[in-house]
Amino acid sequence: MTENLYVHGYSEREKERLEDQANTLTELLHHDTVYPPGSRVLEAGCGVGAQTVTLAAKSPDAQITSIDISPESLAAAQARIIQAGFTNVTFQQANIFDLPFEPESFDHLFLCFVLEHLPNPDEALDALQTMIRPGGTITVIEGDHGSTYFHPQNPYAAQCVQCLVYLQSQMGGDSLIGRRLFPLLKEAGFQDVQVSPRMVYVDGSKPDLVEGFTKNTFTAMVEGVREKALEQGLMDPRAWEQGIRGLRRAAEEDGVFCYTFFKGMGIKK
């Protein structure tokens, strides 16, 4: 995995967006992410540690090794863990396709929002599964931008979302990968594969989700590709602004926003 595949960039605003996303979705995505005491967990592609804090908190007696290819992201992740007061995480710079560990060094593997950025997620899973002992588990969480719908409908807003889908595919990624988790895990040889959809439903009765997800996670993510979308002529500036206003409109009192994440789990035979 190389750094330049990350369509959202590495700005301070992106770090804030990732933290908002993690804090908002903790219960939805991670209520069943718990590892036994003493188990060895590899978190691949930890980024700035937005999910690492949750892993450390929910499995305080597990030993977590978190890797990322970006030294800047690792530094941010380590600072976040230190600030939170956890001591059960170690960090190491590493490439998913060139891992510095002995085979079968870990009991469990965790990936969250990683495969969507890779042109070859099947090869990544092949490389990573060698790190898990027989009988160990994998947990993968990914989104699917094709699951986005909202009220009031706005064709420009839908076009803005499609710009993000297109730009990510142009960089070799797949922002629709959530729907592919089951076949990807099966083809990688995992057994007892189970995939569960985790839908975020937001309306005016859920102000925390309106702020944390509709505004600060999803709309902020789409806004982050504005420059690339306009540079490539995917939309003109006026249409883009209408689209962003449409997404923000879904965050008003009578608006509705929905998005689905997918969580896949399997066992190494």
Side-chain angles (χ1 to χ4, degrees):
M1 181 178 180
T2 58
E3 294 182 61
N4 60 6
L5 294 177
Y6 190 62
V7 68
H8 309 301
Y10 293 88
S11 66
E12 287 301 316
R13 179 66 190 92
E14 174 60 9
K15 291 179 183 178
E16 293 173 6
R17 186 191 71 80
L18 290 171
E19 186 168 359
D20 285 333
Q21 176 177 256
N23 293 339
T24 301
L25 302 174
T26 296
E27 182 60 26
L28 178 75
L29 299 182
H30 298 303
H31 69 269
D32 52 355
T33 308
V34 181
Y35 297 108
S39 58
R40 301 158 299 170
V41 181
L42 175 63
E43 181 192 16
C46 68
V48 296
Q51 308 297 327
T52 313
V53 171
T54 299
L55 289 181
K58 293 186 70 65
S59 301
D61 296 315
Q63 297 302 312
I64 301 165
T65 300
S66 297
I67 65 168
D68 200 90
I69 197 168
S70 165
E72 292 80 13
S73 293
L74 283 171
Q78 189 162 21
R80 180 172 276 124
I81 284 290
I82 292 172
Q83 183 178 22
F86 296 114
T87 59
N88 58 330
V89 183
T90 58
F91 293 94
Q92 187 165 343
Q93 185 178 4
N95 188 318
I96 285 174
F97 299 99
D98 186 21
L99 293 161
F101 310 110
E102 291 295 321
E104 302 179 4
S105 295
F106 298 93
D107 303 301
H108 307 284
L109 171 65
F110 177 85
L111 300 96
C112 188
F113 311 142
V114 174
L115 297 181
E116 64 171 303
H117 299 292
L118 304 180
N120 44 0
D122 52 343
E123 293 179 18
L125 288 173
D126 287 342
L128 287 165
Q129 65 87 21
T130 65
M131 297 293 106
I132 315 171
R133 64 166 174 81
T137 71
I138 183 172
T139 298
V140 185
I141 301 173
E142 294 289 350
D144 191 316
H145 294 353
S147 70
T148 307
Y149 61 93
F150 42 84
H151 170 80
Q153 294 189 63
N154 183 302
Y156 295 106
Q159 192 176 353
C160 286
V161 176
Q162 284 306 305
C163 286
L164 175 55
V165 173
Y166 173 78
L167 288 167
Q168 194 157 339
S169 68
Q170 193 179 52
M171 297 176 73
D174 181 6
S175 58
L176 309 178
I177 201 169
R179 66 191 71 178
R180 294 174 55 198
L181 284 191
F182 184 83
L184 280 169
L185 290 174
K186 291 289 287 185
E187 288 163 12
F190 291 98
Q191 296 183 326
D192 298 330
V193 174
Q194 298 181 9
V195 176
S196 59
R198 311 286 172 105
M199 187 177 79
V200 185
Y201 170 80
V202 189
D203 61 29
S205 71
K206 302 174 175 66
D208 290 346
L209 282 175
V210 169
E211 194 69 24
F213 188 76
T214 306
K215 292 182 180 179
N216 295 341
T217 296
F218 191 85
T219 302
M221 175 175 62
V222 175
E223 288 180 299
V225 299
R226 178 185 186 276
E227 186 176 343
K228 293 186 180 78
L230 298 186
E231 280 179 358
Q232 296 195 28
L234 301 180
M235 293 179 71
D236 64 58
R238 184 169 176 272
W240 178 269
E241 294 308 322
Q242 286 183 277
I244 296 301
R245 283 198 297 270
L247 290 175
R248 292 174 180 161
R249 175 69 179 82
E252 294 182 13
E253 180 63 29
D254 61 343
V256 173
F257 190 90
C258 288
Y259 185 92
T260 303
F261 295 93
F262 294 85
K263 185 172 187 175
M265 292 179 276
I267 299 172
K268 181 176 176 178
K269 62 183 179 181

